């Protein structure tokens, strides 16, 4: 018999979860083992217990999904009362955590956590109710970790529903998914954005570096997967006050992006007769105006001959041809691109197409040779 059962050590909340059929005996025993040194339950509600079980990795995210699904399916049955209460409290606790213990907004998190390692994820769970500008959760905050786990689970379920080949390898075993070596790269005050890197771990054989941004926007939080090189480069430019310098002068960040966007539109027009059906098949993602992701000036531009300004840039680009051959097509281009004044604005210089082609081919070759991976961005 468990020696804690012979001692004054009591776990009344865990006992209720077990008696109510919310958790099974194996989870209950594992939880009591975790609590052995503490001697008391560090939670005061059924929902708090579920949250603690997840944080301690006694309860997997998949098991939590099953608990909530059963609570919904058995709605109205007396035997479901404890489960329903536990799930409701769990959702409420998450909302309170997200709002940093300020005013709760009665919106459950279920169905709203979405993480795409190749797309932006919206965590629109609770409003921010502050008289001062809201804070943004830390990289290792529980709510951020849960959004990543939840959305990876959502992605896996999407793959299953799409009936992918049974032989397709699974990237991760989501049952024991966790984040390790979490590090904050910096905080951009004007954008309310926090840059983060971590190692995604399923087990000792399944580990991969990931990068993401946690951004406060209006009354929601966005958790967006990104490319580690882009994030590290961008956040390394921050000054001591959390401000980004206006690199890319005299064009500036906005001027560089606008001129580069025009260059991409001109470049796509040279794609020949095969480009139109391909972009149509890709829908909105195939349109040239959506081809650019992050554009990061690496320094100020340098003036050359003939009024040309040469700018060193790091550019995220969605390549339709990589998509056509079965790749996701999100590439990172690095190089020097030239621009000239055009009235009050800027436009690509005559040698831009050659520069862009060289940078694109180099990035394509790195991906094909396994020297670089396709990025996560939206």
């Amino acid at each position: 018999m468990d020696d804690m059962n012979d001692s004054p050590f009591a776990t009344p909340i865990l006992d209720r979860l077990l008696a109510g059929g919310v958790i099974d005996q194996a989870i209950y025993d594992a939880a009591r083992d975790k609590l052995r040194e503490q001697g008391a339950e560090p939670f005061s509600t059924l929902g708090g217990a579920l949250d603690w079980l997840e944080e301690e990795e006694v309860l997997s995210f998949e098991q939590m999904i099953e608990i909530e699904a059963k609570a919904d399916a058995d709605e109205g049955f007396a035997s479901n009362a404890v489960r329903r209460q536990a799930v409701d409290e769990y959702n409420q606790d998450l909302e309170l955590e997200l709002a940093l213990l300020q005013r709760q907004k009665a919106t459950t998190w279920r169905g709203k956590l979405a993480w795409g390692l190749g797309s932006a994820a919206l965590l629109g769970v609770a409003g921010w109710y502050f008289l001062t500008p809201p804070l943004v959760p830390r990289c290792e905050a529980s709510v951020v970790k849960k959004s990543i786990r939840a959305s990876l689970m959502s992605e896996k379920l999407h793959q299953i529903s799409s009936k992918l080949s049974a032989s397709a390898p699974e990237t991760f075993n989501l049952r024991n998914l966790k984040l390790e070596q979490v590090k904050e790269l910096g905080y951009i005050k004007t954008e309310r954005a926090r840059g983060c890197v971590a190692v995604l771990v399923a087990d000792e054989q399944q580990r991969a570096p990931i990068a993401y941004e946690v951004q406060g926007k209006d009354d929601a939080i966005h958790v967006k997967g990104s490319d580690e090189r882009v994030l590290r480069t961008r956040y390394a430019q921050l000054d001591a006050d959390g401000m980004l310098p206006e690199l890319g002068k005299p064009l500036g960040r906005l001027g560089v992006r606008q001129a580069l966007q025009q260059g991409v539109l001109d470049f796509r027009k040279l794609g020949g007769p095969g480009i139109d059906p391909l972009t149509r098949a890709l829908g909105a993602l195939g349109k040239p105006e959506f081809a650019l992701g992050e554009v990061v000036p690496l320094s100020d531009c340098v003036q050359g001959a003939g009024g040309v300004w040469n700018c060193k840039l790091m550019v995220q680009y969605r390549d339709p041809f990589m998509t056509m051959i079965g790749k996701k097509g999100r590439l990172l281009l690095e190089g020097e691109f030239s621009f000239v004044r055009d009235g009050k604005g800027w436009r690509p210089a005559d040698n831009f197409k050659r520069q862009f082609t060289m940078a694109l081919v180099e990035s394509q070759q790195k991906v094909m040779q396994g020297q670089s991976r396709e990025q996560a961005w939206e």
Side-chain angles (χ1 to χ4, degrees):
M1 179 179 292
D2 189 338
D3 61 343
M4 287 189 296
N5 291 328
D6 295 329
S7 72
F9 182 86
T11 54
I13 297 176
L14 282 179
D15 293 349
R16 286 191 65 194
L17 290 178
L18 178 63
V22 184
I23 61 175
D24 60 24
Q25 188 67 46
I27 294 175
Y28 176 83
D29 292 341
R32 284 184 57 88
D33 285 342
K34 288 275 187 179
L35 292 170
R36 186 182 300 276
E37 294 184 2
Q38 298 185 37
E41 294 177 325
F43 38 80
S44 58
T45 65
L46 296 172
L50 290 179
D51 186 68
W52 180 84
L53 288 169
E54 262 200 316
E55 285 300 301
E56 293 295 319
E57 300 178 356
V58 177
L59 182 70
S60 72
F61 185 75
E62 290 170 305
Q63 289 171 318
M64 186 61 219
I65 289 178
E66 293 173 1
I67 291 172
E68 188 162 8
K70 188 167 180 57
D72 291 341
D74 292 351
E75 194 68 54
F77 290 94
S79 59
N80 191 50
V82 174
R83 185 181 296 105
R84 179 76 273 166
Q85 179 183 346
V87 168
D88 288 345
E89 290 176 353
Y90 174 88
N91 285 323
Q92 291 168 4
D93 286 348
L94 186 56
E95 290 167 11
L96 288 170
E97 178 184 8
L98 181 60
L100 301 180
L101 300 180
Q102 298 296 314
R103 185 182 303 172
Q104 177 184 348
K105 181 177 179 181
T107 306
T108 60
W109 66 273
R110 177 167 43 92
K112 294 185 179 180
L113 299 180
W115 170 269
L117 293 181
S119 63
L122 172 64
L123 184 56
V125 184
W128 295 87
Y129 300 95
F130 291 83
L131 296 177
T132 56
L135 300 175
V136 174
R138 294 170 293 106
C139 296
E140 68 273 19
S142 176
V143 67
V144 174
K145 293 180 179 179
K146 287 173 183 175
S147 70
I148 295 174
R149 286 201 299 263
S151 305
L152 285 170
M153 184 63 192
S154 176
E155 175 67 15
K156 183 175 181 179
L157 292 176
H158 172 72
Q159 292 176 357
I160 294 173
S161 65
S162 300
K163 298 181 179 179
L164 294 180
S165 169
S167 62
E170 292 184 0
T171 304
F172 282 105
N173 171 14
L174 297 178
R175 184 168 296 277
N176 299 313
L177 196 64
K178 59 183 178 179
L179 293 179
E180 292 183 353
Q181 301 176 36
V182 181
K183 179 181 178 181
E184 178 179 321
L185 300 177
Y187 180 73
I188 304 175
K189 291 183 179 179
T190 56
E191 300 179 12
R192 290 174 53 208
R194 199 179 302 280
C196 313
V197 294
V199 176
L200 193 63
V201 180
D203 54 45
E204 289 305 315
Q205 285 72 44
Q206 295 176 305
R207 307 169 66 90
I210 65 169
Y212 55 97
E213 274 189 302
V214 184
Q215 184 174 23
K217 192 172 184 180
D218 297 326
D219 62 349
I221 293 173
H222 296 264
V223 182
K224 182 175 68 172
S226 188
D227 180 81
E228 182 173 343
R229 291 167 296 175
V230 172
L231 278 192
R232 286 189 179 277
T233 299
R234 188 163 182 256
Y235 280 84
Q237 297 175 353
L238 285 173
D239 62 21
D241 296 322
M243 305 295 289
L244 284 173
E246 183 60 23
L247 297 180
K249 294 191 293 286
L251 285 75
R253 292 179 184 272
L254 180 59
V256 165
R257 184 178 183 85
Q258 291 174 339
L260 190 67
Q261 180 72 65
Q262 182 59 53
V264 169
L265 290 171
D266 294 341
F267 180 82
R268 287 285 188 94
K269 291 177 182 178
L270 301 177
I275 192 67
D276 289 337
L278 176 58
T279 54
R280 283 197 301 271
L282 293 175
L285 295 183
K287 295 181 179 180
E289 55 265 36
F290 297 122
L292 289 183
E294 188 81 29
V295 178
V296 182
L298 301 178
S299 62
D300 286 331
C301 303
V302 178
Q303 187 172 18
V308 173
W309 288 85
N310 302 306
C311 308
K312 292 184 178 180
L313 307 175
M314 181 177 286
V315 180
Q316 291 177 312
Y317 176 70
R318 193 185 302 275
D319 183 15
F321 292 103
M322 292 294 282
T323 304
M324 182 177 63
I325 63 174
K327 298 290 185 178
K328 290 183 179 180
R330 295 180 290 264
L331 304 177
L332 182 63
L333 314 185
E334 296 182 67
E336 188 172 84
F337 303 91
S338 300
F339 306 97
V340 296
R341 285 196 178 276
D342 184 17
K344 294 182 179 181
W346 298 85
R347 64 173 175 82
D350 292 339
N351 61 340
F352 175 86
K353 295 183 181 66
R354 178 180 60 81
Q355 294 172 329
F356 191 83
T357 300
M358 291 176 59
L360 177 59
V361 171
E362 181 180 358
S363 182
Q364 289 172 335
Q365 290 177 342
K366 287 182 178 180
V367 170
M368 297 299 291
Q369 296 170 1
Q371 299 175 9
S372 176
R373 61 182 178 85
E374 293 166 302
Q375 306 175 328
W377 62 281
E378 179 65 18

